[in-house]
């Protein structure tokens, strides 16, 4: 259409419509644009009368969703369009492999596309180009060979497999696929030739097994036997020989199978898996009804297989003897061999007590008393060379086991007594002792109803080498017998030996308390707290105070608290003292409604409150004046005081504590770092009490703000 021109010599031409994009088919970009609805502002935000669920919204959105716009499928109608399509695709693949040259998947996709176009020469060319890049990738060789096989290019496939196994002979999959192809083609000779090439590379057991199965599939038993001979020569292991022997047994060649087992037994007697071979050999003879042969094999194996690896062999042997023979005879043979091994071990190292223990257990399992006693006597003769307890700790159990054997198994009480006596005589008690041995000797005499001998043994123990365990057990025995005077004597010796032991003092006082000897118990407690050093003094003081409270000696208890405060001003002591004053003289029935209305009860309760409050005030004054740095303890004291005031009910005065309550303030303090150059800071909680003088100006501001806030709260309450 002609257009008129306007001045200036330039021509304004009408804009042509946009050309359609080739990738979108016949649709233009305007047709395929996704037009979003314009956002609208919601004016009415009140909930609708009919509510719908989110599931319904999603379902409707799915139903109203428009189908995805896809470009239409191209239909190639003539040779020229096909040529253009192939040109575009080849250009795309070439660009792709130029970008990712080392990507095997890109090459495989390219080759498969060429295969789909039935252009096998080009596909083969692509595979060859790929092999130039990644000839070590066995998957590429597999794809290449499968391509040739799929399209029935047998000679090409053979060529590919041959090149693959030559380059990658250690990849078993290539060999398996090559052989499988030859078998499918019926070329058994070629498959056998491939197997022979493979065996030249000395593959693992699976490769040899597959070769043998191949020959058996075609009925070549002699060939399979020859392969088995090469197999066991290449892999001389118990499992390969067992497999060979089972092969012969399956074909009824018993003598051949026996020769295989015999050859394996001679060759692999020192192998770590020899146990498996001997078990299989013996089971083979059992199947052949050769019981004596099987027994001889078991004996031969037990003589040569190490002890640690013969458990299964021993179990099989026992099962065999239960079924076919006399168990006692074979156990004697086994015990004799083990006895020889233990003799060899203890001869090399007589101080290896673990070997002696094993040897003794072996003899005890047989049950020969003379042999057992002989081994015990030989073992206890190996006394440790140094008089240090750590060397004697294992040795002493030889004596203990010896004594227990004589008492429980041999039932010889005189020999048991002699064993204990000789052992106690041997131990150097001046350097160290074993309380367990003294106690076992005494308990043995008690079991024999010889209390005098037991007392003599324990008395000698206390005199020669006193220990806490001995004192405790001796006192327990005398207490059980009701000899309280002996118990007192023993406790005195116990305390004399260890005056800092609070356990001894407490148990002594507990004994007197149980005997209703209040004055004696109190004297013991007084002596105990007068000691200059104690291991757990807090427990002792606590029991002494509880003793006086149980006896209703409240004045004595107060005096004790005062004495304890002279020694320590710990927070727990102050709180315990205050709790005592709050509950002193308060019985179980004093809290009933009848007693609460009684005037005498009211006076007592008032006195308790006064005394308790006085203790708290003393504690608070101490922490304020003498231990001002212990602010956290002072705050905890006020918390306990406040709880007590609340528990007093009408008699309590909460405001008295609240006036002294501190404020919590977060502060920072410097922390020196490892290098000492930079200083870090940590936050901590500080307590500011009302009676403290604030020095920092910011704290003064906080104080003024706090007073203003409190005043404002009071004015609000007045309004």
């Amino acid at each position: 259409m002609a257009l008129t021109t306007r001045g200036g010599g330039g021509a304004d031409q009408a804009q042509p419509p946009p050309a359609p994009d080739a990738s979108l088919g016949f649709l233009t970009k305007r047709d395929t644009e996704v037009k979003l609805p314009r956002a609208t502002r919601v004016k009415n935000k009140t909930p609708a009368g009919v509510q719908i669920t989110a599931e319904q919204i999603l379902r409707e959105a799915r139903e109203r969703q428009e189908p995805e716009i896809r470009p239409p499928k191209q239909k190639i109608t003539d040779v020229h369009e096909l040529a253009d399509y192939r040109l575009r695709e080849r250009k795309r693949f070439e660009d792709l492999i130029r970008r990712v040259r080392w990507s095997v998947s890109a090459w495989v996709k390219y080759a498969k596309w060429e295969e789909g176009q039935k252009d096998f020469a080009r596909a083969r060319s692509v595979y060859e180009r790929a092999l130039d890049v990644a000839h070590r990738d066995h998957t590429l060789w597999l794809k290449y060979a499968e391509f040739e096989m799929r399209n029935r290019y047998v000679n090409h496939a053979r060529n590919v497999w041959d090149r693959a196994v030559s380059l990658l002979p250690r990849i078993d999959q290539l060999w398996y696929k090559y052989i499988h192809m030859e078998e499918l083609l019926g070329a058994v000779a070629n498959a056998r030739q491939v197997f022979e090439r493979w065996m030249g590379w000395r593959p693992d057991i699976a490769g040899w097994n597959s070769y043998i199965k191949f020959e058996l599939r075609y009925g070549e038993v002699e060939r399979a036997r020859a392969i088995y001979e090469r197999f066991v020569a290449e892999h001389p292991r118990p499992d390969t020989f067992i497999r060979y022997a089972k092969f012969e047994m399956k074909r009824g060649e018993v003598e051949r199978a026996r020769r295989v087992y015999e050859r394996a037994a001679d060759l692999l007697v020192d192998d770590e898996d020899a146990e498996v071979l001997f078990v299989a050999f013996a089971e083979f003879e059992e199947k052949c009804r050769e019981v004596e042969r099987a027994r001889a094999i078991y004996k031969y194996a037990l003589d040569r297989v190490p002890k640690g690896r013969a458990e299964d062999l021993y179990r099989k042997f026992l099962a065999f003897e239960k079924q076919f023979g006399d168990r006692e005879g074979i156990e004697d043979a086994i015990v004799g061999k083990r006895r020889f091994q233990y003799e060899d071990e203890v001869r090399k190292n007589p101080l290896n007590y673990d070997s002696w223990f094993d040897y003794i257990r072996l003899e005890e399992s047989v049950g020969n008393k003379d042999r057992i006693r002989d081994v015990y006597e030989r073992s206890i003769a190996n006394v440790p060379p140094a008089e240090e307890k750590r060397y004697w700790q294992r040795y002493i159990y030889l004596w203990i086991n010896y004594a227990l054997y004589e008492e429980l198994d041999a039932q010889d009480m005189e020999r048991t007594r002699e064993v204990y006596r000789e052992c106690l005589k041997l131990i150097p008690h001046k350097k160290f002792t074993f309380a367990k041995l003294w106690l076992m000797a005494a308990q043995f005499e008690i079991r024999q109803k010889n209390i005098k001998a037991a007392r003599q043994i324990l008395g000698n123990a206390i005199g020669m080498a006193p220990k806490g365990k001995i004192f405790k057990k001796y006192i327990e025995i005398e207490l059980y017998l009701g000899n309280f005077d002996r118990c007192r004597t023993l406790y005195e010796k116990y305390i004399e030996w260890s005056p800092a032991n609070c356990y001894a003092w407490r148990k002594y006082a507990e004994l007197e308390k149980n005997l209703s000897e209040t004055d004696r118990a109190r004297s013991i407690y007084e002596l105990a707290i007068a000691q200059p050093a104690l291991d757990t003094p807090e427990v002792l003081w606590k029991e002494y105070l509880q003793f006086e409270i149980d006896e209703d000696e409240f004045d004595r208890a107060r005096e004790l608290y005062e004495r304890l405060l002279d020694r320590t001003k710990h927070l727990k002591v102050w709180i315990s003292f205050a709790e005592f004053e709050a509950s002193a003289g308060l019985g179980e029935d004093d809290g009933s409604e009848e007693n609460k209305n009684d005037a005498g009860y009211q006076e007592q309760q008032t006195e308790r409150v006064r005394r308790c409050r006085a203790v708290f005030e003393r504690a608070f004054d101490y922490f304020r004046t003498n231990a001002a740095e212990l602010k956290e303890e002072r705050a905890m004291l006020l918390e306990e005081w406040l709880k007590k005031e609340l528990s007093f009910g009408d008699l309590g005065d909460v405001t008295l504590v609240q006036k002294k309550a501190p404020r919590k303030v977060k502060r920072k303090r410097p922390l020196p770092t490892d290098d000492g150059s930079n200083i870090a800071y940590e936050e901590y909680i500080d307590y500011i009490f009302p009676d403290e003088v604030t020095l920092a100006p910011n704290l003064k501001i906080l104080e003024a703000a706090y007073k203003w806030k409190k005043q404002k709260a009071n004015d609000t309450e007045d309004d």
Side-chain angles (χ1 to χ4, degrees), residues 66-324:
E66 296 181 358
E68 183 181 357
I69 299 174
R70 295 180 180 177
K73 292 183 179 179
Q74 264 185 321
K75 291 184 179 180
I76 300 172
T77 57
D78 57 10
V79 178
H80 299 291
E81 288 185 3
L82 178 60
D84 291 340
Y85 165 71
R86 287 177 174 175
L87 181 61
R88 286 198 306 271
E89 287 298 313
R90 286 188 179 118
K91 183 177 183 303
R92 183 173 67 83
F93 277 118
E94 291 292 340
D95 292 340
L96 178 62
I97 61 176
R98 205 168 18 247
R99 288 196 306 271
V100 286
R101 178 178 175 81
W102 301 104
S103 176
V104 176
S105 61
W107 289 101
V108 171
K109 288 178 183 178
Y110 190 7
K112 283 185 176 180
W113 181 84
E114 293 288 0
E115 183 184 0
Q117 300 301 313
K118 305 298 182 182
D119 196 342
F120 302 122
R122 285 182 177 273
R124 194 174 292 116
S125 174
V126 172
Y127 275 119
E128 291 293 339
R129 290 168 60 195
L131 288 175
D132 290 339
V133 175
H135 65 280
R136 290 291 178 185
D137 193 338
H138 69 281
T139 57
L140 185 59
W141 287 101
L142 290 173
K143 297 291 184 182
Y144 190 7
E146 288 171 0
F147 153 74
E148 299 288 5
M149 292 165 60
R150 193 165 47 244
N151 296 288
R152 300 181 182 278
Y153 292 103
V154 177
N155 290 328
H156 283 285
R158 283 196 179 109
N159 185 22
V160 172
W161 286 125
D162 194 61
R163 291 162 60 195
V165 297
S166 298
L167 281 172
L168 303 172
R170 295 299 179 189
I171 306 299
D172 294 345
Q173 191 178 5
L174 298 175
W175 293 102
Y176 285 127
K177 291 281 188 179
Y178 192 3
I179 294 164
H180 180 63
M181 185 194 75
E182 295 292 354
E183 277 198 85
L184 288 178
L185 296 173
V188 179
N190 291 343
R192 187 176 289 117
Q193 186 178 2
V194 174
F195 264 121
E196 288 296 333
R197 286 180 60 192
W198 189 12
M199 296 305 109
W201 287 99
R202 305 175 67 179
D204 57 1
I205 294 175
W208 287 96
N209 288 332
S210 62
Y211 192 9
I212 293 167
K213 290 177 182 178
F214 165 78
E215 295 293 355
L216 292 177
R217 277 199 299 272
Y218 296 99
E220 298 288 344
V221 178
E222 291 300 326
R223 286 181 179 274
R225 185 174 288 118
I227 295 168
Y228 262 120
E229 290 291 337
R230 294 163 58 192
F231 182 22
V232 296
E234 186 67 35
H235 296 280
R237 291 165 43 178
D239 54 341
T240 58
F241 277 101
I242 292 170
R243 192 184 295 271
Y244 187 11
K246 287 181 178 179
F247 161 77
E248 297 292 358
M249 272 293 294
K250 191 174 181 180
R251 277 143 189 84
E253 299 288 343
V254 177
E255 290 300 325
R256 285 179 180 272
R258 183 174 287 119
R259 285 200 296 272
V260 171
Y261 275 122
E262 290 173 354
R263 184 169 47 155
D266 294 337
L267 184 64
L268 304 176
V269 65
D270 296 327
D271 192 271
E272 60 181 10
D273 295 329
E275 177 192 10
V276 180
L277 176 65
F278 286 116
V279 169
F281 194 4
E283 290 177 349
F284 160 75
E285 295 293 353
E286 287 181 41
K287 290 179 182 178
C288 297
R289 304 297 180 184
E290 296 286 347
V291 179
E292 293 302 324
R293 282 179 177 270
R295 182 176 286 111
I297 291 166
Y298 277 122
K299 289 182 179 181
Y300 179 82
L302 288 170
D303 288 342
R304 285 161 177 79
V305 176
K307 174 186 174 183
R309 298 199 295 266
E311 295 179 1
D312 187 55
L313 184 64
Y314 181 63
R315 187 170 60 252
K316 295 278 187 183
F317 188 25
L318 290 181
F320 169 79
E321 287 297 332
K322 286 179 182 178
Q323 185 176 1
F324 296 106

Side-chain angles (χ1 to χ4, degrees), residues 470-485:
I470 299 174
F471 277 110
K472 291 176 186 177
K473 195 64 180 179
Y474 196 1
I475 292 168
E476 181 183 342
I477 293 170
E478 296 295 350
L479 192 62
Y480 183 76
L481 296 173
N483 296 323
F484 302 116
D485 291 335

Side-chain angles (χ1 to χ4, degrees), residues 26 44 71-72 88 102 130 137 187 201 207 233 273 279 370 453 467 473 572 594 665 678:
F26 62 91
N44 186 6
R88 286 198 306 271
W102 301 104
D137 193 338
W201 287 99
D273 295 329
V279 169
D370 295 332
K467 294 191 76 173
K473 195 64 180 179
K572 290 184 178 180
E594 297 177 358
V665 178
N678 299 324

